[in-house]
Amino acid sequence: RKEVEQDPGPFNVPEGATVAFNCTYSNSASQSFFWYRQDCRKEPKLLMSVYSSGNEDGRFTAQLNRASQYISLLIRDSKLSDSATYLCVVAHTGTASKLTFGTGTRLQVTL
Amino acid sequence: ETGVTQTPRHLVMGMTNKKSLKCEQHLGHNAMYWYKQSAKKPLELMFVYNFKEQTENNSVPSRFSPECPNSSHLFLHLHTLQPEDSALYLCASSVPGLTLPSSGNTIYFGEGSWLTVV
């Protein structure tokens, strides 16, 4: 079983739609959770951290379910510029060197 | 614009060649990383340096040889590579022993070096 699993997609959605991605992780000792965004042929960039209580940043909402070992990312009112690959990232310690990346979920927002 | 700069951006090399990838960070960080990203695979951590000292080698074959002369520069020396080593090689930097999540701090990636081994 992969440490971090994501549906690779692609998710094709029209502008303005709401889309949700899920990610599951296998290590129950995981402590830190993140969503990164990676544009085509670019480097990954931190989108948002995921906190136990859930957190929101504008149109983006992240949720963590420790019991079921999954995290989610919800994007509301999708924009064309949201088209990218979204990487689920988990760390089983508090340090950056222990980040484990998922393969990513590709989102394509269309007119 | 990124605070982590990688050169070259694209590299094609033969299996008998020797080449190097260079990374420079302008963020005042003291931890630097090499990651490998292959098609349809997740990012794989290769090496970690803290204050110029290698603190992690993730079972990387010896045909990849890192060098960290100072906290701002990181190299990846390549020799006798195989076609399956073709990938995107990403350099990253952070505050050493970065504790996550930490407000205002994260791991920053360079734009990557696309390597093709023929």
Side-chain angles (χ1 to χ4, degrees):
Chain A
R1 184 183 173 186
K2 293 179 184 175
E3 286 192 63
V4 178
E5 290 209 61
Q6 295 181 251
D7 180 343
F11 284 59
N12 294 298
V13 302
E15 242 188 330
T18 295
V19 61
F21 308 135
N22 286 333
C23 162
T24 58
Y25 59 94
S26 60
N27 190 337
S28 58
S30 298
Q31 298 180 3
S32 305
F33 309 89
F34 311 89
W35 284 101
Y36 274 69
R37 170 191 169 133
Q38 186 171 23
D39 291 290
C40 187
R41 301 186 74 81
K42 295 284 192 178
E43 75 276 22
K45 293 183 180 177
L46 179 67
L47 178 66
M48 59 196 302
S49 302
V50 186
Y51 300 105
S52 297
S53 55
N55 48 298
E56 189 174 303
D57 183 1
R59 297 181 293 107
F60 298 84
T61 300
Q63 297 278 355
L64 168 63
N65 185 319
R66 286 188 186 271
S68 301
Q69 293 182 207
Y70 80 79
I71 67 175
S72 64
L73 177 67
L74 182 77
I75 306 176
R76 289 181 299 278
D77 188 23
S78 299
K79 311 290 185 192
L80 291 175
S81 57
D82 294 333
S83 298
T85 296
Y86 291 84
L87 305 174
C88 174
V89 186
V90 174
H92 65 269
T93 70
T95 57
S97 64
K98 301 301 181 187
L99 294 175
T100 301
F101 288 78
T103 51
T105 297
R106 194 155 73 86
L107 171 66
Q108 184 66 51
V109 181
T110 56
L111 287 170
Chain B
E1 186 178 326
T2 176
V4 182
T5 305
Q6 290 188 239
T7 54
R9 294 295 315 284
H10 300 272
L11 177 63
V12 179
M13 60 185 289
M15 289 189 283
T16 58
N17 291 160
K18 288 186 180 181
K19 297 286 184 184
S20 296
L21 306 181
K22 178 183 175 183
C23 175
E24 183 174 359
Q25 59 93 4
H26 314 276
L27 301 169
H29 291 158
N30 284 297
M32 297 189 78
Y33 312 78
W34 279 116
Y35 279 86
K36 175 183 178 181
Q37 188 174 33
S38 304
K40 311 231 183 269
K41 291 186 178 179
L43 267 78
E44 301 169 52
L45 178 65
M46 300 174 72
F47 302 103
V48 181
Y49 279 81
N50 281 286
F51 294 98
K52 304 187 299 178
E53 299 297 320
Q54 187 181 120
T55 53
E56 285 199 43
N57 176 336
N58 215 19
S59 303
V60 180
S62 59
R63 57 186 184 270
F64 295 91
S65 174
E67 179 190 359
C68 189
N70 54 61
S71 294
S72 298
H73 293 86
L74 185 64
F75 294 89
L76 188 62
H77 303 301
L78 316 168
H79 63 100
T80 59
L81 295 192
Q82 305 298 311
E84 59 265 29
D85 296 322
S86 299
L88 175 65
Y89 288 85
L90 289 159
C91 174
S93 72
S94 73
V95 173
L98 174 66
T99 300
L100 303 168
S102 177
S103 176
N105 288 322
T106 185
I107 181 170
Y108 292 89
F109 287 92
E111 292 184 294
S113 294
W114 289 91
L115 172 67
T116 303
V117 181
V118 296

